Amino acid sequence: MSTVKLTINDMEIEVERGTSILQAAQELGVEVPHFCYHEKLTVPANCRMCLVEVEGGPPKPAASCAMACGEGMVVRTDSEMVKKARKGVMEMLLINHPLDCPICDQGGECDLQDQAMGYGFDRSRFQENKRAVEDKELGPLIKTVMTRCINCTRCVRFAEEVAGTPVLGQMNRGEDAEIGTFVDELVQTELSGNLIDICPVGALTSKPYAFKARPWELTKTETIDVHDAVGSNIRVDVKGREVMRVLPCLHEDVNEEWISDRTRFSYDGLGNGRLDRPYIREDKKGKLREASWEEAFGFIAKKLKGVKGEEIAGLVGDLAEIESIVALKDLLGKLGSSNMDCRTDGAKFDPSNRAGYLFNSTIAGIDEADAILLVGTNPRHEATLINARIRKAVFERRVPVAVIGEAADLSYKYAHVGSTLQDLEKLAKDYKGKVKSEKPMIIVGSGVFEREDGEAIHNALYKIAEDLGCIKKDWNGFNVLHRAASRVGALDAGFVPQAGGKDFEQIIAGTKDGSIKALYLLGADEFDVHGSIGWKTFTIYQGHHGDHGAARADVVLPGCAYTEKDGIYLNTEGRVQYAKRAAFPPGEAKEDWKILRGLSDVLGQKLPYDTQIQLRDRILGEFKHFSMPDEIAPASWGGFGVKGKVGKEPFVSPVLNYYMTNAICRASDTMRACTLELLNSQEEQLEAAEL
C-alpha cells in the first residue's frame, strides 16, 4: 500500500494512504480530543471536537477523524484557530448538559468532564432553560440518564456493528434529537455492558454498580475471566473485600477491548451463597453441620481408611486453575488412584493429540480466515467474544459463514447447510479438492462430543478437516471451541483417566455399583451431582459456592473463587494466562491447592510442596509450556479419535440459559434478573412472531 508524508505540529510522519489525521496524530503521541470517534467503529464525524487546522486548506478548522492524510499536508492541532473552535464546540455540547457531576456515576472517569477542563471555557453564555430528555428502559444492566447524552452515536454504532443488534438509533432532528429504541425494545445482546464503556458521558452507566463507589476508592487488579474458555483479560475493582465491578482490559489477540455481560455483571454472585467454613455430614440422611478444618480432615481420613486406590476417584469442575488440578492429580496418584476426569459434561474425545482439542487457528486467526464453518455450536452463547470476531469478519470482509447444527440467531447472516454429521460428511465429500479459500476455518463446539459416539465423531472430524482444505503448511483451520475455563489446562496437565482408570461416566456408574467408594469433587457443579452420584459413595466437595456439588457432599471444604487467588489458566486456544488475586476469600475459605496440601498431610501422603512457588516449579518441570505467559505452544497435526459408528442425531448447543452457566452466575441476583427480563422477553417475541 502506498504511503504519504505530512507534518503535524512541526513533526514529520509517514503513514499509509487513507489514514486519518487523527490516527496519524495519535501515532506521534499528539493528543486530539474527540467524543464520537472510536477506533473499532465507523467514523460519523458528528461531535466536531477533533478539529484541527490544515495550512493552505479552507479558512476553517477540519474534522481530523474524517479527513484522510494527504501528501505534503501541514497540520496544526494547537493553533489559535483550533483552540477557539474547540472552545466553541465544547460550549455547544454543554448547552443542555446538566450539572450532574457530583451525583453522576461517571464522575472521575468522564471524557466530557476531562475535556471540558482541558479545552473548554470556564463559563457558559447560555441563559435559556436546558432541555430534558426522558430516560429509556434498556434492561436490567444499563441505567440511562438521557439528558446527559451528547448524541455522539457511539452506542448506536456499537449495537449495530459489533453486537449485531441494531435496536438503538437517533430519532428526530435539531433540539429534539435523541438516542433511543424505536418501539421501547430492550437491548438484547450479550455484549450490552460495553455500551457503558464506550459512552463518553454519564448517559449510559451500570445499573448494578450505580452509587456503589467512586473510582478513586477502588483497588484495581488486572486478571483473567473464567466464565467461558475465551480467557478475556479483565480488571477487577474491589472496595474492602467486596468486588464492585469488572471491566475489560485491552488484549487485541483475545477479547480486543470488549467483555461479555456474564463476565461483567455476574460479580455479585461472588458474595452470595458462599462457603466460608467446612461442613460434614455424619449421617447419610442427616444435614451438613459446621466443623473445623481439623475435624473435617480427620473425618475424611477416617472414611478413607481401608479404601483402596482403585476405589477412589476425582473430578475437576469448569472453574479450577492449574495449581489445584495438578495438586489433586498428585494426591490421587499418591493414593493409588487412576480414576480421574475433567470432562464432567460427559464429552468423549481423544485427548492424546493437543491439535485435536485446541482452537488451533487462534482467536486472532479469525481475522485472517476467508471461510468459516460452524459445527454444533452457538458461539454467541458459548463464547460471545469469538462470535463478535466472526461477526466482524462478516461485517468488514464479507467472509462467508456456514452452519451445521441448530439454526440460531448469531447476529450475522450464514448458510444453514445441515444439522447432523452425515450432512457435514456430505458437504466434505462434495467440496473435497474444490475449496478455493486460502484459509478456511472449521469451529467445532465442545457439545458435539457430549454423546456416546463422541470419539467416533472426533475421528470423522479429522478427515473432514483435511478434505475441506483446513490443514495447510502454515495454517491449521481445525478448531474446538470449549466452554469451560479449566478444560484445556486440565487436558494438558493430563487430568484424564490414567492407565486402567475410569472416565467420567464410568466413575458415576461406579458410585452406584459400589466400585467407587470415595469421590473427590474439585468445584464440579456442572452436572446433576445430586441425582447422579450414588449415596453409598463417600463424597468430598471442594469449592466456593453452596451449589450442586455441596448439596450432595458428605464433606464440604470451602475454597476460593477466581478473584481470590493467583492461578494459571489456558484458554480454548491453549494460551497460557496468569490470573491475579484481587480480593480475599470469606471466613475460613482457603486457596484450593493449600487445602489439598493440608489434606495430604492428614492422609499420610504428603505432597512435596509447601508454597505456590514450589508447586509452580513442580508444574513447570513437567509441563514446560505453562511457563510461557500469554503464549501458545504449537500443536502438531496428527490423527485423533476412534473409528466407529456415528449416530444420526442432530447437533444441538448445550447452553440453554446463557446467564446461568456456573455456580457464580447461579448465585448472582443480576444474572437472575437477566434471565427473567431478557429471556422471557425473547420468548414472548418469538410467540408473537409465530402468531
Side-chain angles (χ1 to χ4, degrees), residues 31-48:
E31 182 181 5
V32 177
H34 56 272
F35 293 116
C36 68
Y37 171 79
H38 191 286
E39 62 180 3
K40 299 291 184 184
L41 306 175
T42 53
V43 179
N46 58 10
C47 78
R48 317 310 285 185

mmCIF file with all atom_site columns, all heavy atoms in Angstrom, residues 31-48:
data_model
loop_
_atom_site.group_PDB
_atom_site.id
_atom_site.type_symbol
_atom_site.label_atom_id
_atom_site.label_alt_id
_atom_site.label_comp_id
_atom_site.label_asym_id
_atom_site.label_entity_id
_atom_site.label_seq_id
_atom_site.pdbx_PDB_ins_code
_atom_site.Cartn_x
_atom_site.Cartn_y
_atom_site.Cartn_z
_atom_site.occupancy
_atom_site.B_iso_or_equiv
_atom_site.pdbx_formal_charge
_atom_site.auth_seq_id
_atom_site.auth_comp_id
_atom_site.auth_asym_id
_atom_site.auth_atom_id
_atom_site.pdbx_PDB_model_num
ATOM 1   N N   . GLU A 1 31 ? -2.124  14.568 21.315 1.00 0.00 ? 31 GLU A N   1
ATOM 2   C CA  . GLU A 1 31 ? -3.496  14.380 21.764 1.00 0.00 ? 31 GLU A CA  1
ATOM 3   C C   . GLU A 1 31 ? -4.443  15.261 20.956 1.00 0.00 ? 31 GLU A C   1
ATOM 4   O O   . GLU A 1 31 ? -4.261  16.472 20.852 1.00 0.00 ? 31 GLU A O   1
ATOM 5   C CB  . GLU A 1 31 ? -3.637  14.724 23.249 1.00 0.00 ? 31 GLU A CB  1
ATOM 6   C CG  . GLU A 1 31 ? -5.049  14.504 23.774 1.00 0.00 ? 31 GLU A CG  1
ATOM 7   C CD  . GLU A 1 31 ? -5.197  14.857 25.242 1.00 0.00 ? 31 GLU A CD  1
ATOM 8   O OE1 . GLU A 1 31 ? -4.233  15.361 25.836 1.00 0.00 ? 31 GLU A OE1 1
ATOM 9   O OE2 . GLU A 1 31 ? -6.290  14.637 25.777 1.00 0.00 ? 31 GLU A OE2 1
ATOM 10  N N   . VAL A 1 32 ? -5.449  14.611 20.383 1.00 0.00 ? 32 VAL A N   1
ATOM 11  C CA  . VAL A 1 32 ? -6.526  15.326 19.695 1.00 0.00 ? 32 VAL A CA  1
ATOM 12  C C   . VAL A 1 32 ? -7.825  14.915 20.381 1.00 0.00 ? 32 VAL A C   1
ATOM 13  O O   . VAL A 1 32 ? -8.212  13.745 20.322 1.00 0.00 ? 32 VAL A O   1
ATOM 14  C CB  . VAL A 1 32 ? -6.586  14.970 18.192 1.00 0.00 ? 32 VAL A CB  1
ATOM 15  C CG1 . VAL A 1 32 ? -7.768  15.676 17.529 1.00 0.00 ? 32 VAL A CG1 1
ATOM 16  C CG2 . VAL A 1 32 ? -5.289  15.353 17.505 1.00 0.00 ? 32 VAL A CG2 1
ATOM 17  N N   . PRO A 1 33 ? -8.492  15.830 21.064 1.00 0.00 ? 33 PRO A N   1
ATOM 18  C CA  . PRO A 1 33 ? -9.714  15.456 21.801 1.00 0.00 ? 33 PRO A CA  1
ATOM 19  C C   . PRO A 1 33 ? -10.810 14.995 20.849 1.00 0.00 ? 33 PRO A C   1
ATOM 20  O O   . PRO A 1 33 ? -10.916 15.483 19.715 1.00 0.00 ? 33 PRO A O   1
ATOM 21  C CB  . PRO A 1 33 ? -10.097 16.750 22.514 1.00 0.00 ? 33 PRO A CB  1
ATOM 22  C CG  . PRO A 1 33 ? -9.506  17.834 21.683 1.00 0.00 ? 33 PRO A CG  1
ATOM 23  C CD  . PRO A 1 33 ? -8.227  17.283 21.143 1.00 0.00 ? 33 PRO A CD  1
ATOM 24  N N   . HIS A 1 34 ? -11.620 14.048 21.286 1.00 0.00 ? 34 HIS A N   1
ATOM 25  C CA  . HIS A 1 34 ? -12.722 13.564 20.458 1.00 0.00 ? 34 HIS A CA  1
ATOM 26  C C   . HIS A 1 34 ? -13.745 12.864 21.336 1.00 0.00 ? 34 HIS A C   1
ATOM 27  O O   . HIS A 1 34 ? -13.431 12.388 22.428 1.00 0.00 ? 34 HIS A O   1
ATOM 28  C CB  . HIS A 1 34 ? -12.207 12.605 19.379 1.00 0.00 ? 34 HIS A CB  1
ATOM 29  C CG  . HIS A 1 34 ? -11.446 11.437 19.928 1.00 0.00 ? 34 HIS A CG  1
ATOM 30  N ND1 . HIS A 1 34 ? -10.095 11.476 20.160 1.00 0.00 ? 34 HIS A ND1 1
ATOM 31  C CD2 . HIS A 1 34 ? -11.846 10.200 20.303 1.00 0.00 ? 34 HIS A CD2 1
ATOM 32  C CE1 . HIS A 1 34 ? -9.686  10.319 20.655 1.00 0.00 ? 34 HIS A CE1 1
ATOM 33  N NE2 . HIS A 1 34 ? -10.734 9.525  20.754 1.00 0.00 ? 34 HIS A NE2 1
ATOM 34  N N   . PHE A 1 35 ? -14.964 12.786 20.844 1.00 0.00 ? 35 PHE A N   1
ATOM 35  C CA  . PHE A 1 35 ? -16.042 12.075 21.527 1.00 0.00 ? 35 PHE A CA  1
ATOM 36  C C   . PHE A 1 35 ? -16.646 10.980 20.649 1.00 0.00 ? 35 PHE A C   1
ATOM 37  O O   . PHE A 1 35 ? -16.777 9.845  21.073 1.00 0.00 ? 35 PHE A O   1
ATOM 38  C CB  . PHE A 1 35 ? -17.157 13.046 21.947 1.00 0.00 ? 35 PHE A CB  1
ATOM 39  C CG  . PHE A 1 35 ? -16.746 14.018 23.016 1.00 0.00 ? 35 PHE A CG  1
ATOM 40  C CD1 . PHE A 1 35 ? -16.702 15.377 22.754 1.00 0.00 ? 35 PHE A CD1 1
ATOM 41  C CD2 . PHE A 1 35 ? -16.405 13.589 24.280 1.00 0.00 ? 35 PHE A CD2 1
ATOM 42  C CE1 . PHE A 1 35 ? -16.323 16.277 23.729 1.00 0.00 ? 35 PHE A CE1 1
ATOM 43  C CE2 . PHE A 1 35 ? -16.020 14.477 25.265 1.00 0.00 ? 35 PHE A CE2 1
ATOM 44  C CZ  . PHE A 1 35 ? -15.977 15.826 24.993 1.00 0.00 ? 35 PHE A CZ  1
ATOM 45  N N   . CYS A 1 36 ? -17.013 11.326 19.420 1.00 0.00 ? 36 CYS A N   1
ATOM 46  C CA  . CYS A 1 36 ? -17.724 10.349 18.588 1.00 0.00 ? 36 CYS A CA  1
ATOM 47  C C   . CYS A 1 36 ? -16.780 9.313  17.980 1.00 0.00 ? 36 CYS A C   1
ATOM 48  O O   . CYS A 1 36 ? -17.176 8.185  17.716 1.00 0.00 ? 36 CYS A O   1
ATOM 49  C CB  . CYS A 1 36 ? -18.515 11.050 17.496 1.00 0.00 ? 36 CYS A CB  1
ATOM 50  S SG  . CYS A 1 36 ? -17.484 11.863 16.237 1.00 0.00 ? 36 CYS A SG  1
ATOM 51  N N   . TYR A 1 37 ? -15.523 9.648  17.756 1.00 0.00 ? 37 TYR A N   1
ATOM 52  C CA  . TYR A 1 37 ? -14.586 8.728  17.114 1.00 0.00 ? 37 TYR A CA  1
ATOM 53  C C   . TYR A 1 37 ? -14.220 7.582  18.063 1.00 0.00 ? 37 TYR A C   1
ATOM 54  O O   . TYR A 1 37 ? -13.967 7.787  19.261 1.00 0.00 ? 37 TYR A O   1
ATOM 55  C CB  . TYR A 1 37 ? -13.316 9.462  16.694 1.00 0.00 ? 37 TYR A CB  1
ATOM 56  C CG  . TYR A 1 37 ? -12.216 8.536  16.214 1.00 0.00 ? 37 TYR A CG  1
ATOM 57  C CD1 . TYR A 1 37 ? -12.239 8.012  14.930 1.00 0.00 ? 37 TYR A CD1 1
ATOM 58  C CD2 . TYR A 1 37 ? -11.175 8.161  17.060 1.00 0.00 ? 37 TYR A CD2 1
ATOM 59  C CE1 . TYR A 1 37 ? -11.250 7.150  14.484 1.00 0.00 ? 37 TYR A CE1 1
ATOM 60  C CE2 . TYR A 1 37 ? -10.179 7.296  16.631 1.00 0.00 ? 37 TYR A CE2 1
ATOM 61  C CZ  . TYR A 1 37 ? -10.222 6.792  15.344 1.00 0.00 ? 37 TYR A CZ  1
ATOM 62  O OH  . TYR A 1 37 ? -9.230  5.931  14.924 1.00 0.00 ? 37 TYR A OH  1
ATOM 63  N N   . HIS A 1 38 ? -14.215 6.362  17.523 1.00 0.00 ? 38 HIS A N   1
ATOM 64  C CA  . HIS A 1 38 ? -13.743 5.186  18.251 1.00 0.00 ? 38 HIS A CA  1
ATOM 65  C C   . HIS A 1 38 ? -13.077 4.278  17.235 1.00 0.00 ? 38 HIS A C   1
ATOM 66  O O   . HIS A 1 38 ? -13.651 4.003  16.168 1.00 0.00 ? 38 HIS A O   1
ATOM 67  C CB  . HIS A 1 38 ? -14.900 4.463  18.950 1.00 0.00 ? 38 HIS A CB  1
ATOM 68  C CG  . HIS A 1 38 ? -14.455 3.412  19.924 1.00 0.00 ? 38 HIS A CG  1
ATOM 69  N ND1 . HIS A 1 38 ? -13.954 2.197  19.535 1.00 0.00 ? 38 HIS A ND1 1
ATOM 70  C CD2 . HIS A 1 38 ? -14.416 3.412  21.289 1.00 0.00 ? 38 HIS A CD2 1
ATOM 71  C CE1 . HIS A 1 38 ? -13.637 1.481  20.606 1.00 0.00 ? 38 HIS A CE1 1
ATOM 72  N NE2 . HIS A 1 38 ? -13.909 2.191  21.684 1.00 0.00 ? 38 HIS A NE2 1
ATOM 73  N N   . GLU A 1 39 ? -11.880 3.806  17.543 1.00 0.00 ? 39 GLU A N   1
ATOM 74  C CA  . GLU A 1 39 ? -11.091 3.078  16.545 1.00 0.00 ? 39 GLU A CA  1
ATOM 75  C C   . GLU A 1 39 ? -11.736 1.780  16.086 1.00 0.00 ? 39 GLU A C   1
ATOM 76  O O   . GLU A 1 39 ? -11.418 1.272  15.005 1.00 0.00 ? 39 GLU A O   1
ATOM 77  C CB  . GLU A 1 39 ? -9.691  2.794  17.082 1.00 0.00 ? 39 GLU A CB  1
ATOM 78  C CG  . GLU A 1 39 ? -9.662  1.923  18.321 1.00 0.00 ? 39 GLU A CG  1
ATOM 79  C CD  . GLU A 1 39 ? -8.253  1.667  18.812 1.00 0.00 ? 39 GLU A CD  1
ATOM 80  O OE1 . GLU A 1 39 ? -7.307  2.207  18.219 1.00 0.00 ? 39 GLU A OE1 1
ATOM 81  O OE2 . GLU A 1 39 ? -8.105  0.917  19.791 1.00 0.00 ? 39 GLU A OE2 1
ATOM 82  N N   . LYS A 1 40 ? -12.674 1.222  16.862 1.00 0.00 ? 40 LYS A N   1
ATOM 83  C CA  . LYS A 1 40 ? -13.331 -0.032 16.482 1.00 0.00 ? 40 LYS A CA  1
ATOM 84  C C   . LYS A 1 40 ? -14.655 0.194  15.750 1.00 0.00 ? 40 LYS A C   1
ATOM 85  O O   . LYS A 1 40 ? -15.311 -0.777 15.362 1.00 0.00 ? 40 LYS A O   1
ATOM 86  C CB  . LYS A 1 40 ? -13.594 -0.883 17.733 1.00 0.00 ? 40 LYS A CB  1
ATOM 87  C CG  . LYS A 1 40 ? -12.355 -1.281 18.513 1.00 0.00 ? 40 LYS A CG  1
ATOM 88  C CD  . LYS A 1 40 ? -11.496 -2.271 17.763 1.00 0.00 ? 40 LYS A CD  1
ATOM 89  C CE  . LYS A 1 40 ? -10.310 -2.721 18.610 1.00 0.00 ? 40 LYS A CE  1
ATOM 90  N NZ  . LYS A 1 40 ? -9.403  -3.603 17.868 1.00 0.00 ? 40 LYS A NZ  1
ATOM 91  N N   . LEU A 1 41 ? -15.052 1.454  15.590 1.00 0.00 ? 41 LEU A N   1
ATOM 92  C CA  . LEU A 1 41 ? -16.345 1.761  14.991 1.00 0.00 ? 41 LEU A CA  1
ATOM 93  C C   . LEU A 1 41 ? -16.166 2.627  13.746 1.00 0.00 ? 41 LEU A C   1
ATOM 94  O O   . LEU A 1 41 ? -15.105 3.212  13.532 1.00 0.00 ? 41 LEU A O   1
ATOM 95  C CB  . LEU A 1 41 ? -17.245 2.484  16.009 1.00 0.00 ? 41 LEU A CB  1
ATOM 96  C CG  . LEU A 1 41 ? -17.452 1.791  17.361 1.00 0.00 ? 41 LEU A CG  1
ATOM 97  C CD1 . LEU A 1 41 ? -18.258 2.679  18.284 1.00 0.00 ? 41 LEU A CD1 1
ATOM 98  C CD2 . LEU A 1 41 ? -18.137 0.444  17.178 1.00 0.00 ? 41 LEU A CD2 1
ATOM 99  N N   . THR A 1 42 ? -17.211 2.708  12.942 1.00 0.00 ? 42 THR A N   1
ATOM 100 C CA  . THR A 1 42 ? -17.162 3.566  11.761 1.00 0.00 ? 42 THR A CA  1
ATOM 101 C C   . THR A 1 42 ? -17.104 5.035  12.189 1.00 0.00 ? 42 THR A C   1
ATOM 102 O O   . THR A 1 42 ? -17.404 5.378  13.329 1.00 0.00 ? 42 THR A O   1
ATOM 103 C CB  . THR A 1 42 ? -18.402 3.339  10.874 1.00 0.00 ? 42 THR A CB  1
ATOM 104 O OG1 . THR A 1 42 ? -19.579 3.489  11.676 1.00 0.00 ? 42 THR A OG1 1
ATOM 105 C CG2 . THR A 1 42 ? -18.376 1.971  10.240 1.00 0.00 ? 42 THR A CG2 1
ATOM 106 N N   . VAL A 1 43 ? -16.727 5.895  11.257 1.00 0.00 ? 43 VAL A N   1
ATOM 107 C CA  . VAL A 1 43 ? -16.493 7.310  11.566 1.00 0.00 ? 43 VAL A CA  1
ATOM 108 C C   . VAL A 1 43 ? -17.717 8.150  11.185 1.00 0.00 ? 43 VAL A C   1
ATOM 109 O O   . VAL A 1 43 ? -18.065 8.230  10.008 1.00 0.00 ? 43 VAL A O   1
ATOM 110 C CB  . VAL A 1 43 ? -15.253 7.835  10.811 1.00 0.00 ? 43 VAL A CB  1
ATOM 111 C CG1 . VAL A 1 43 ? -15.040 9.313  11.111 1.00 0.00 ? 43 VAL A CG1 1
ATOM 112 C CG2 . VAL A 1 43 ? -14.018 7.023  11.180 1.00 0.00 ? 43 VAL A CG2 1
ATOM 113 N N   . PRO A 1 44 ? -18.385 8.792  12.154 1.00 0.00 ? 44 PRO A N   1
ATOM 114 C CA  . PRO A 1 44 ? -19.541 9.640  11.816 1.00 0.00 ? 44 PRO A CA  1
ATOM 115 C C   . PRO A 1 44 ? -19.185 11.121 11.692 1.00 0.00 ? 44 PRO A C   1
ATOM 116 O O   . PRO A 1 44 ? -19.871 11.879 11.027 1.00 0.00 ? 44 PRO A O   1
ATOM 117 C CB  . PRO A 1 44 ? -20.473 9.419  13.005 1.00 0.00 ? 44 PRO A CB  1
ATOM 118 C CG  . PRO A 1 44 ? -19.529 9.263  14.158 1.00 0.00 ? 44 PRO A CG  1
ATOM 119 C CD  . PRO A 1 44 ? -18.276 8.604  13.607 1.00 0.00 ? 44 PRO A CD  1
ATOM 120 N N   . ALA A 1 45 ? -18.124 11.543 12.390 1.00 0.00 ? 45 ALA A N   1
ATOM 121 C CA  . ALA A 1 45 ? -17.678 12.946 12.358 1.00 0.00 ? 45 ALA A CA  1
ATOM 122 C C   . ALA A 1 45 ? -18.794 13.902 12.762 1.00 0.00 ? 45 ALA A C   1
ATOM 123 O O   . ALA A 1 45 ? -19.041 14.892 12.100 1.00 0.00 ? 45 ALA A O   1
ATOM 124 C CB  . ALA A 1 45 ? -17.143 13.300 10.979 1.00 0.00 ? 45 ALA A CB  1
ATOM 125 N N   . ASN A 1 46 ? -19.471 13.595 13.890 1.00 0.00 ? 46 ASN A N   1
ATOM 126 C CA  . ASN A 1 46 ? -20.584 14.463 14.268 1.00 0.00 ? 46 ASN A CA  1
ATOM 127 C C   . ASN A 1 46 ? -20.387 15.245 15.565 1.00 0.00 ? 46 ASN A C   1
ATOM 128 O O   . ASN A 1 46 ? -21.196 16.101 15.887 1.00 0.00 ? 46 ASN A O   1
ATOM 129 C CB  . ASN A 1 46 ? -21.902 13.665 14.342 1.00 0.00 ? 46 ASN A CB  1
ATOM 130 C CG  . ASN A 1 46 ? -21.824 12.502 15.319 1.00 0.00 ? 46 ASN A CG  1
ATOM 131 O OD1 . ASN A 1 46 ? -20.876 12.384 16.082 1.00 0.00 ? 46 ASN A OD1 1
ATOM 132 N ND2 . ASN A 1 46 ? -22.819 11.637 15.278 1.00 0.00 ? 46 ASN A ND2 1
ATOM 133 N N   . CYS A 1 47 ? -19.312 14.982 16.315 1.00 0.00 ? 47 CYS A N   1
ATOM 134 C CA  . CYS A 1 47 ? -19.132 15.763 17.552 1.00 0.00 ? 47 CYS A CA  1
ATOM 135 C C   . CYS A 1 47 ? -18.303 17.020 17.302 1.00 0.00 ? 47 CYS A C   1
ATOM 136 O O   . CYS A 1 47 ? -18.392 17.988 18.058 1.00 0.00 ? 47 CYS A O   1
ATOM 137 C CB  . CYS A 1 47 ? -18.503 14.913 18.653 1.00 0.00 ? 47 CYS A CB  1
ATOM 138 S SG  . CYS A 1 47 ? -16.711 14.665 18.499 1.00 0.00 ? 47 CYS A SG  1
ATOM 139 N N   . ARG A 1 48 ? -17.454 17.006 16.272 1.00 0.00 ? 48 ARG A N   1
ATOM 140 C CA  . ARG A 1 48 ? -16.625 18.154 15.837 1.00 0.00 ? 48 ARG A CA  1
ATOM 141 C C   . ARG A 1 48 ? -15.613 18.587 16.889 1.00 0.00 ? 48 ARG A C   1
ATOM 142 O O   . ARG A 1 48 ? -15.073 19.687 16.809 1.00 0.00 ? 48 ARG A O   1
ATOM 143 C CB  . ARG A 1 48 ? -17.491 19.361 15.444 1.00 0.00 ? 48 ARG A CB  1
ATOM 144 C CG  . ARG A 1 48 ? -18.708 19.065 14.628 1.00 0.00 ? 48 ARG A CG  1
ATOM 145 C CD  . ARG A 1 48 ? -18.428 18.209 13.427 1.00 0.00 ? 48 ARG A CD  1
ATOM 146 N NE  . ARG A 1 48 ? -17.778 18.910 12.333 1.00 0.00 ? 48 ARG A NE  1
ATOM 147 C CZ  . ARG A 1 48 ? -17.522 18.366 11.152 1.00 0.00 ? 48 ARG A CZ  1
ATOM 148 N NH1 . ARG A 1 48 ? -17.841 17.095 10.921 1.00 0.00 ? 48 ARG A NH1 1
ATOM 149 N NH2 . ARG A 1 48 ? -16.929 19.062 10.207 1.00 0.00 ? 48 ARG A NH2 1
#
